[in-house]
């Protein structure tokens, strides 16, 4: 409901966090958008509907992360990666731009050099199973990436498969490699 209200009504004008100087830092987790919320965001940001396949591509690359979605959609419009065709925004390319590198670099600022290197290795290896990843990177580094949700584990068949989250990060490493 809160995400819906924010999309349709904007932030409350006098909303304040009850913080005082010297208080411990606060982490606010913003829930990932659903595909329907992604569609609504696109319409609100761009002033017209977005073609369903294009919505899905933005959603998939961003992992539904609102900040990444917003920045990607605005950049895509400005850079001509999407075009208004028959009243709906449609992707005209593979939805990659060098400007997306800044989006990803901001996501990576909290990583150590070792975690960043490990994420690059996993990204350029595409999807790898956990045991294979442990041959590339130390276990404590992989555990740190999992706990910080940069790597997700999916149990399929008899193996645990790893994917980088959001997928835009893996795409970034493949472009700069």
């Amino acid at each position: 409901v809160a995400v819906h209200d924010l999309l349709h009504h904007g932030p409350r004008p006098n909303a304040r966090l009850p913080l005082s100087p010297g208080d411990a830092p606060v982490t606010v987790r913003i829930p990932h958008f659903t595909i329907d919320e992604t569609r609504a965001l696109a319409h609100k940001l761009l002033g017209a509907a977005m073609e369903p396949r294009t919505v899905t591509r933005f959603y998939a690359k961003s992992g539904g992360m609102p900040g990444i979605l917003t920045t990607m959609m605005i950049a895509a419009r400005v850079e001509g990666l999407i075009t208004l065709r028959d009243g709906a925004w449609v992707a005209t390319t593979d939805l990659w731009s060098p400007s997306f590198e800044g989006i990803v670099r901001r996501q990576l600022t909290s990583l150590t050099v070792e975690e960043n290197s490990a994420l690059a290795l996993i990204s350029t290896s595409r999807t790898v199973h956990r045991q294979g990843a442990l041959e590339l990177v130390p276990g404590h580094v992989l555990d740190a990436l999992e706990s910080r949700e940069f790597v997700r584990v999916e149990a399929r068949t008899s193996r645990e498969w790893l994917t980088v989250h959001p997928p835009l990060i893996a795409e970034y490493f493949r472009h700069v490699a």
Side-chain angles (χ1 to χ4, degrees):
V1 173
V3 171
H4 178 269
D5 289 344
L6 184 61
L7 276 174
H8 295 284
H9 306 293
R12 292 183 310 204
N14 296 319
R16 296 181 59 189
L17 290 174
L19 299 176
S20 301
D23 284 350
V26 174
T27 300
V28 177
R29 289 195 170 261
I30 299 173
H32 293 184
F33 278 10
T34 64
I35 194 80
D36 289 334
E37 290 166 333
T38 301
R39 187 176 297 110
L41 175 67
H43 194 277
K44 187 165 186 82
L45 284 175
L46 304 172
M50 185 177 279
E51 180 264 335
R53 188 177 330 140
T54 303
V55 170
T56 301
R57 290 172 64 193
F58 275 104
Y59 180 76
K61 285 178 182 263
S62 70
M65 297 173 76
I68 293 175
L69 274 166
T70 300
T71 308
M72 283 181 68
M73 287 179 183
I74 291 169
R77 180 179 180 181
V78 168
E79 295 179 23
L81 303 178
I82 56 175
T83 301
L84 194 58
R85 199 178 293 155
D86 297 324
W89 291 99
V90 179
T92 57
T93 69
D94 69 352
L95 286 181
W96 175 258
S97 164
S99 70
F100 293 173
E101 292 177 15
I103 298 169
V104 173
R105 277 195 231 101
R106 278 192 302 277
Q107 295 294 311
L108 302 177
T109 57
S110 65
L111 297 179
T112 65
V113 171
E114 192 176 30
E115 291 167 343
N116 194 36
S117 296
L119 197 56
L121 277 170
I122 294 166
S123 295
T124 54
S125 301
R126 304 282 178 157
T127 305
V128 297
H129 57 85
R130 185 170 180 51
Q131 199 57 41
L134 289 170
E135 294 171 12
L136 299 172
V137 301
H140 73 279
V141 175
L142 185 57
D143 291 341
L145 290 171
E146 284 180 46
S147 72
R148 296 172 70 195
E149 300 179 3
F150 281 99
V151 173
R152 293 191 171 175
V153 179
E154 184 180 326
R156 289 184 300 197
T157 61
S158 61
R159 291 199 165 152
E160 291 181 318
W161 293 91
L162 305 179
T163 56
V164 174
H165 184 79
L168 185 65
I169 292 174
E171 188 171 358
Y172 161 79
F173 281 117
R174 288 192 294 270
H175 274 81
V176 299

